[in-house]
């Protein structure tokens, strides 16, 4: 059975309509932050096991950025919300 993402604008849609951007927990550093802080922000990523939040773009749908909470082990999707509504942007 296909994995479904419950887009808050379009309803349940197959995951193939989305593009994954990555970890939604990473905070953008200040413009005058150190080179190390920017390097870490741009290039370094954890590979979490279990439940976490990611940015997903509904590329073949409403074209909105979502924050999707899912489990990287079971692929279960727990929640999806509009990133802009949470004050989060990619
Ligand atoms: Zn959508």
């Amino acid at each position: 059975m296909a994995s479904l993402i419950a887009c808050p604008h379009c309803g349940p849609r197959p995951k193939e309509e989305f593009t994954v951007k990555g970890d939604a927990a990473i905070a953008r550093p200040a413009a005058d932050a150190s080179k190390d802080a920017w390097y870490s922000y741009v290039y370094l990523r954890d590979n979490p096991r279990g439940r976490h939040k990611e940015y997903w773009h509904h590329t073949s749908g409403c074209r909105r950025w979502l924050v999707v909470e899912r489990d990287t082990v079971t692929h279960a999707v727990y929640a999806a919300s509009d990133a802009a509504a949470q004050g989060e942007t990619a």
Side-chain angles (χ1 to χ4, degrees), residues 5 7 14-22 54-68 81 83 90:
I5 307 292
C7 176
K15 68 174 176 43
E16 289 78 13
E17 290 188 4
F18 296 82
T19 303
V20 182
K21 175 67 174 176
E54 297 172 321
Y55 286 116
W56 287 58
H57 184 250
H58 198 178
T59 310
S60 298
C62 61
R63 304 192 58 80
R64 298 286 301 177
W65 283 100
L66 308 179
V67 175
V68 175
S81 57

Side-chain angles (χ1 to χ4, degrees), residues 9-47:
H9 306 287
C10 308
R13 308 298 301 173
K15 68 174 176 43
E16 289 78 13
E17 290 188 4
F18 296 82
T19 303
V20 182
K21 175 67 174 176
D23 193 345
I26 298 173
R28 184 183 179 96
D32 60 349
S34 69
K35 286 184 178 181
D36 287 344
W38 277 102
Y39 179 84
S40 177
Y41 173 73
V42 173
Y43 295 110
L44 301 181
R45 295 293 180 266
D46 292 330
N47 190 15

